[in-house]
Amino acid sequence: ETGVTQTPRHLVMGMTNKKSLKCEQHLGHNAMYWYKQSAKKPLELMFVYNFKEQTENNSVPSRFSPECPNSSHLFLHLHTLQPEDSALYLCASTSRGRDGDTGELFFGEGSRLTVL
Amino acid sequence: AQSVTQLDSQVPVFEEAPVELRCNYSSSVSVYLFWYVQYPNQGLQLLLKYLSGSTLVKGINGFEAEFNKSQTSFHLRKPSVHISDTAEYFCAVSSNFNKFYFGSGTKLNVKP
């Protein structure tokens, strides 16, 4: 079992559906990330949360809405997506500030999203 | 902002042969550098990182990388690969441990 758990692992949705991706980390970290992984493209940083506060929105369309209710949980709410949004969505966490920054991201196994 | 270029999308190599996976970065400030590995159906995990000090960094599974500031490179090497090294490898850069920028990945295919 990894320290970062993502659910669901696979999701198929229509363009008019509303769904959510969930990420939970059991590592005591205080920073969490959403990345989008598409074939043959660099991992795209989407959102960064530090101590539950959003510190980065990398020009992500509003049809993606993040939520971080506490330092252990991160959600990505999906609404009226496009087929080009089909990708692997990766959650990651790290420890910031306490005892220095290690610079190591811990990733979940990802949620494979298919938009029809 | 920073960016990372991994020129080789796929690298085929025979088992026990040496391998080098190339990574070049672009940044106007000092950076920290990382290599991650992704096995099929898994998330990324850290192989090694350069934060400061010796430019030759050793990581897990016998991998090492050398930071070359003048060439803005951080190439990953292994002297003898195994079948189990078949995976996708990602180079990443960060200037502040807040935002991490990744390359597009290199698929290493080790053949028997």
Side-chain angles (χ1 to χ4, degrees):
Chain A
E1 180 183 334
T2 67
V4 180
T5 304
Q6 290 188 242
T7 55
R9 293 293 309 279
H10 299 272
L11 178 63
V12 179
M13 59 187 289
M15 293 169 62
T16 58
N17 291 159
K18 288 184 181 180
K19 297 285 184 183
S20 295
L21 306 181
K22 178 183 176 182
C23 176
E24 182 175 4
Q25 59 94 1
H26 313 276
L27 302 168
H29 291 162
N30 49 29
M32 297 187 77
Y33 302 72
W34 280 116
Y35 279 90
K36 176 183 178 182
Q37 184 178 17
S38 304
K40 299 183 179 180
K41 295 173 75 173
L43 267 69
E44 297 175 49
L45 177 62
M46 300 177 73
F47 301 103
V48 181
Y49 277 82
N50 283 291
F51 296 95
K52 303 186 298 179
E53 298 297 320
Q54 188 182 124
T55 57
E56 190 68 30
N57 177 338
N58 203 29
S59 302
V60 180
S62 59
R63 57 185 184 268
F64 295 92
S65 174
E67 178 189 1
C68 189
N70 55 60
S71 294
S72 299
H73 294 85
L74 184 64
F75 295 89
L76 189 62
H77 303 302
L78 315 170
H79 177 49
T80 58
L81 296 190
Q82 306 298 312
E84 59 265 29
D85 297 322
S86 298
L88 182 69
Y89 289 84
L90 291 166
C91 174
S93 69
T94 191
S95 182
R96 298 295 317 280
R98 288 192 314 228
D99 304 321
D101 294 308
T102 66
E104 180 173 358
L105 291 175
F106 290 78
F107 284 84
E109 294 179 325
S111 293
R112 174 72 61 185
L113 174 66
T114 302
V115 181
L116 301 177
Chain B
Q2 298 91 50
S3 66
V4 175
T5 301
Q6 292 181 249
L7 289 172
D8 304 307
S9 60
Q10 295 194 52
V11 172
V13 63
F14 287 105
E15 193 173 19
E16 298 184 6
V19 71
E20 179 180 86
L21 306 184
R22 296 181 294 168
C23 172
N24 288 90
Y25 68 92
S26 174
S27 177
S28 58
V29 298
S30 296
V31 295
Y32 308 104
L33 295 152
F34 309 83
W35 274 99
Y36 283 81
V37 60
Q38 185 180 33
Y39 299 103
N41 301 312
Q42 294 187 27
L44 282 70
Q45 61 184 85
L46 185 69
L47 266 182
L48 49 80
K49 61 184 176 183
Y50 171 78
L51 302 184
S52 65
S54 172
T55 57
L56 182 63
V57 180
K58 294 189 183 298
I60 62 172
N61 300 340
F63 283 93
E64 63 181 32
E66 185 155 20
F67 171 52
N68 188 320
K69 188 175 182 179
S70 62
Q71 296 188 8
T72 60
S73 67
F74 190 54
H75 301 330
L76 181 69
R77 302 185 184 98
K78 186 170 182 177
S80 175
V81 294
H82 302 289
I83 296 288
S84 59
D85 293 323
T86 295
E88 190 160 16
Y89 293 80
F90 293 88
C91 183
V93 63
S94 177
S95 63
N96 57 11
F97 295 127
N98 185 44
K99 295 169 69 172
F100 295 81
Y101 296 92
F102 287 78
S104 53
T106 297
K107 290 186 177 178
L108 177 63
N109 184 15
V110 181
K111 304 176 182 180

